[in-house]
Amino acid sequence: MRIRATVAVVSGALALSAFAVPAVQADEKPDAGLNLPSGADVFAAGSGASAAKARAARAAEVPVIKKVVVNGGKDIVVGTKSKQKFTIAITASSPSGIADAFAHLWHGHIDEVDGFLGPTQESGNCKVSADPTTSTCTVSVTVDPRSDDLYTSSLAGTWKVAAGALADTGGQSDFIWNETQGTTRVQRFSKLTVNASPEPVKKGKTLTVTGKLTRANWDTNTYKGYTNQPVKLQFKKKGAKSYTTVKTVKTSSTGTLKTTVKASADGYWRYSFAGTSTTPAVSAGGDFVDVK
């Protein structure tokens, strides 16, 4: 597999429009080894004799990153078609204030990076707080499951957050950059169905409840059954405000669900899945059954 990597350094920040685009054949496993940009790349830090002399003339001013929030603190959930846009907010401080801050997500090991999600904008959108030494800078990232952003389902789960900030000293060498500033989760969108039958049913008779748990497959851009997963069968009596769990059922090798219960009262039946690190929680819409 070839990795096409293009890094364009612009004034003050990095244009990451096509940093890591893996070209993967259907029967290939993703190769590791993408190159992540360094802090010097991101903030276009000066180099050469003149820059070294300028740095030596004064002590470096190193900003402090106080907080990084990805997608408002929520998991990033991606399906098979729709683009998902999220923000990364970096709060940082420095005696001279903050000129810029930036961040991106990456997956794998620092020496074997196999996934990258970064902004296409040239710099962070920064807002100064009540304290002039502190700013919160925001960058936006768009994930397209139909592109090479998420080229294989094995990328679902925990991603690292790389983030940094540049002090407002007028130079480009007073920055901090941390490849492992935090973590976030990128998950495969899930769907869950339910059908209770027969409808209506006589009181005390057997009710069969079927369903299916599926999730996005980024290799094929389709939804596939999520196998061997515990799913709760829940019931809400007519007029009640909440569901109660009746039993737990495991999905089959194709993600299907099937169980039986005794019909006792009018109400709604549904399946509810708690989620995993790679797949978000989901509940089916309630299926009303009239008990005669």
Side-chain angles (χ1 to χ4, degrees), residues 56-57 88 116 123 133 153 171 212 216 232 260 280 288:
I88 309 176
F116 178 89
S123 59
T133 67
S153 294
K212 189 171 185 179
K232 293 178 180 179
T260 58
F288 182 79

Side-chain angles (χ1 to χ4, degrees), residues 202-223:
K202 289 185 178 180
K203 187 173 182 178
K205 294 297 183 179
T206 299
L207 192 66
T208 301
V209 187
T210 60
K212 189 171 185 179
L213 175 63
T214 59
R215 59 177 179 165
N217 184 312
W218 295 331
D219 297 81
T220 60
N221 288 115
T222 58
Y223 282 86

